[in-house]
Amino acid sequence: MRLFALVLVLAGCGERGTAVRVRADFDTAMSLQQLRFSGERWFGPEVRPGAAEGVLQSGGELLVWLPDDASGDVRCVVEGLVGGKVVARGETRVRLVPGREVPAVVTLACMAPGKGPGRLGRCDD
Amino acid sequence: MSMTRSILLLVSAVTAQEQFDAAEHAYDLGQFDRARRLYTEAYELDPRPGLLFNIGQCHKKLGDWSQAAFFYRRYLARTPKGEGVEKLQELITEMDAKAAALAQQRPQPPPAPVPAPTTPSTVKKAALSLEPSPAPPRPPTFATPTVEAALADKPLYREWWVWAAAGTATTATLAGVVAASVAASQQRLPRYGELDAR
């Protein structure tokens, strides 16, 4: 039984390649409705959810599958949207490892005029 | 190839951790034979020396003094520079002494049959004369499988703070489980799915 499970795990891993798991952290007071993920030439821009359905919660993740031979550094950018307009932004740089999933935690901050970089809180204050 | 090997090692480590957790659980419940088996399986998957000590602890709890001494020795052999070596040596000496004492208490094998004919009544008397084998001693339970706990002068179960801590931990665990369940039902982290950029 254990051997069978191991075979299943190995079979599953064989189909998987290089990936980056992008997590978006932000102050829920920002009232973000959508997130736009991008990773230089590797992926995006990709807006999730596709349609605004309400205020998002922090900590959401997008798993991005990349080509098996993807390597090097990638700058992951996440933008927070309210009403289709970018109000917050964050980015981080991660090093891809071929055949592995690497985490990329992005902390978003307000982009509104007068707000200093890294300032958290509702963006239309 | 290296990836497959890494995955195998990772799977083994995860499975060993599961076996270890199950063994700890069994040990906490006083199921020492089951704990010994699970520790053994964990060691087969991930041979960490500490598991040898835990297996020895289980044998000690089961009254298998000689086996306990064996695994304590194996633990020492794998961690020659570890802390508590001298005290562990004392523990091994204690196990050897108990094993020797137990061997002396065991009934001697019956004498060779006498060639003279015996009647059924004499056979019955001979059988009744044999003393029943003593049950293996059962040391107190409720000790954690650590070197410090095993070497403590006073049994842990006689310490009031152990019971207080156990009660507090149990209450806290239950409260945490309930709180986590409520939180999970009320708030779930958003998932934005997967994006195939291959």
Side-chain angles (χ1 to χ4, degrees):
Chain A
M1 186 64 181
R2 188 170 295 161
L3 180 61
F4 178 68
L6 178 63
V7 170
L8 281 181
V9 168
L10 291 177
C13 290
E15 297 174 356
R16 301 296 191 181
T18 308
V20 56
R21 184 179 292 274
V22 185
R23 179 177 133 184
D25 285 349
F26 52 88
D27 190 339
T28 51
M30 291 177 175
S31 300
L32 302 180
Q33 297 173 334
Q34 291 173 293
L35 296 174
R36 185 157 64 199
F37 299 84
S38 58
E40 297 182 317
R41 66 187 177 95
W42 293 108
F43 64 90
E46 179 76 11
V47 178
R48 298 289 174 98
E53 300 168 346
V55 176
L56 300 179
Q57 293 180 0
S58 178
E61 293 178 339
L62 175 68
L63 181 59
V64 183
W65 294 106
L66 302 172
D68 289 347
D69 57 351
S71 62
D73 289 352
V74 58
R75 186 167 56 95
C76 299
V77 178
V78 180
E79 296 167 306
L81 310 181
V82 176
K85 179 183 175 184
V86 178
V87 298
R89 186 179 184 280
E91 67 177 60
T92 189
R93 179 174 292 276
V94 294
R95 173 152 297 178
L96 301 176
V97 181
R100 301 282 292 275
E101 175 188 310
V102 295
V105 179
V106 178
T107 302
L108 281 72
C110 283
M111 293 181 63
K115 307 289 186 185
R119 162 86 181 269
L120 296 181
R122 192 174 173 82
C123 294
D124 56 357
D125 284 346
Chain B
M1 188 64 181
S2 62
M3 179 181 171
T4 303
R5 179 177 171 78
S6 299
I7 293 171
L8 281 171
L9 290 174
L10 178 63
V11 170
S12 295
V14 171
T15 310
Q17 182 64 47
E18 290 174 352
Q19 296 296 92
F20 176 79
D21 292 341
E24 292 278 278
H25 187 66
Y27 194 99
D28 290 342
L29 292 173
Q31 300 169 353
F32 301 118
D33 191 50
R34 183 165 180 268
R36 177 197 56 75
R37 179 172 54 80
L38 290 167
Y39 280 132
T40 302
E41 292 178 5
Y43 186 82
E44 289 172 349
L45 292 166
D46 190 359
R48 300 190 182 193
L51 292 169
L52 294 174
F53 178 80
N54 288 357
I55 295 171
Q57 285 291 85
C58 292
H59 281 294
K60 181 187 174 189
K61 295 296 183 187
L62 292 168
D64 299 334
W65 315 120
S66 58
Q67 282 291 92
F70 170 82
F71 281 99
Y72 291 149
R73 285 194 174 92
R74 295 311 308 153
Y75 171 72
L76 267 183
R78 294 290 305 276
T79 55
K81 295 179 180 178
E83 293 183 358
V85 171
E86 293 180 1
K87 293 183 177 179
L88 201 58
Q89 288 284 13
E90 295 175 5
L91 192 58
I92 291 172
T93 304
E94 178 191 345
M95 292 299 103
D96 286 341
K98 287 184 175 180
L102 187 65
Q104 287 184 351
Q105 291 175 5
R106 282 179 182 153
Q108 298 299 320
V114 181
T118 57
T119 61
S121 61
T122 57
V123 172
K124 187 176 180 181
K125 284 181 181 177
L128 288 173
S129 68
L130 289 176
E131 295 180 0
S133 60
R138 293 280 178 178
T141 59
F142 303 110
T144 54
T146 60
V147 177
E148 291 76 11
L151 301 177
D153 293 332
K154 189 176 181 180
L156 277 179
Y157 74 99
R158 290 185 179 174
E159 300 282 2
W160 67 269
W161 53 267
V162 170
W163 294 100
T168 304
T170 303
T171 305
T173 303
L174 287 175
V177 169
V178 171
S181 301
V182 171
S185 63
Q186 292 179 344
Q187 178 181 358
R188 294 188 181 281
L189 283 180
R191 298 288 177 191
Y192 302 120
E194 298 184 5
L195 172 62
D196 194 343
R198 287 175 286 194

